[in-house]
Amino acid sequence: EINVLPKLYFRTGFSLLSISSKVDIFGYAESIAHKEFHATFYQIPVVLRYQCKKELYPYILIGTDIGYLTKAQYKVYEPIEFGNWSYELDQELPRINISAVIGIGKSFKIYNNFSLLWEIKYILGLTNYKFERGLMYLGKWKNNILQLRFGILL
């Protein structure tokens, strides 16, 4: 964190985001199929942290999050008719994911240089994703994330 103005701090970092979704399809002849989507992003948040006037109050986070798609895969498991297969979507989807970030948090000093931290962030996806190709249908979506963080600051 970098102190920009009194009570205003600039924060950035680096993280790995892995998302998955699964849809079960109940069909004929007691066949139970399901589709899965897996994607991996490298994320770089750029966030401002504003400490409210009184130290007892939580701080406020606002900023953006920039992600880079490194891997995306679509899998189908259908035991009777089609069998199991997968398709790489890396080249089919936008590589850059832009999101808005809002949140609150608080740190409590517990001993000398040790503090207890909690944060709640909502990362609202702004990038539209869409994939439709014959039987391979994922529809439209955005990456929306609710992130809870707890820890100890040294």
Side-chain angles (χ1 to χ4, degrees):
E1 270 189 351
I2 299 171
N3 192 342
V4 180
L5 295 170
K7 299 187 185 279
L8 188 64
Y9 301 85
F10 172 77
R11 179 193 292 181
T12 189
F14 182 77
S15 64
L16 179 67
L17 170 67
S18 181
I19 60 174
S20 294
S21 66
K22 177 181 171 184
V23 177
D24 288 324
I25 303 161
F26 297 94
Y28 55 91
E30 298 180 17
S31 165
I32 299 175
H34 69 264
K35 299 177 185 181
E36 294 180 2
F37 172 72
H38 302 279
T40 304
F41 293 86
Y42 288 118
Q43 303 281 115
I44 300 175
V46 180
V47 179
L48 288 175
R49 178 176 71 88
Y50 175 73
Q51 179 62 55
C52 297
K53 292 184 180 184
K54 298 192 180 208
E55 294 296 321
L56 296 174
Y57 295 144
Y59 53 80
I60 298 168
L61 300 168
I62 189 164
T64 188
D65 190 286
I66 302 164
Y68 180 77
L69 176 68
T70 60
K71 182 175 176 100
Q73 189 175 46
Y74 179 80
K75 295 180 180 180
V76 173
Y77 301 94
E78 204 288 323
I80 295 176
E81 193 170 326
F82 299 109
N84 301 335
W85 53 273
S86 65
Y87 184 75
E88 299 296 324
L89 298 176
D90 302 356
Q91 305 302 319
E92 308 280 340
L93 299 173
R95 287 285 191 175
I96 303 297
N97 181 54
I98 306 292
S99 302
V101 177
I102 57 171
I104 62 170
K106 180 74 180 133
S107 61
F108 303 93
K109 191 169 194 163
I110 53 175
Y111 180 75
N112 289 339
N113 292 332
F114 294 93
S115 295
L116 191 60
L117 166 79
W118 66 265
E119 273 184 7
I120 300 172
K121 288 195 297 186
Y122 183 67
I123 303 171
L124 174 68
L126 303 175
T127 303
N128 291 313
Y129 287 93
K130 180 180 178 182
F131 182 74
E132 298 173 16
R133 180 172 291 154
L135 293 174
M136 295 185 294
Y137 176 79
L138 291 173
K140 299 177 188 178
W141 75 93
K142 294 180 181 183
N143 293 335
N144 297 318
I145 303 161
L146 180 63
Q147 188 177 69
L148 307 173
R149 294 176 58 185
F150 300 95
I152 296 176
L153 295 174
L154 305 176

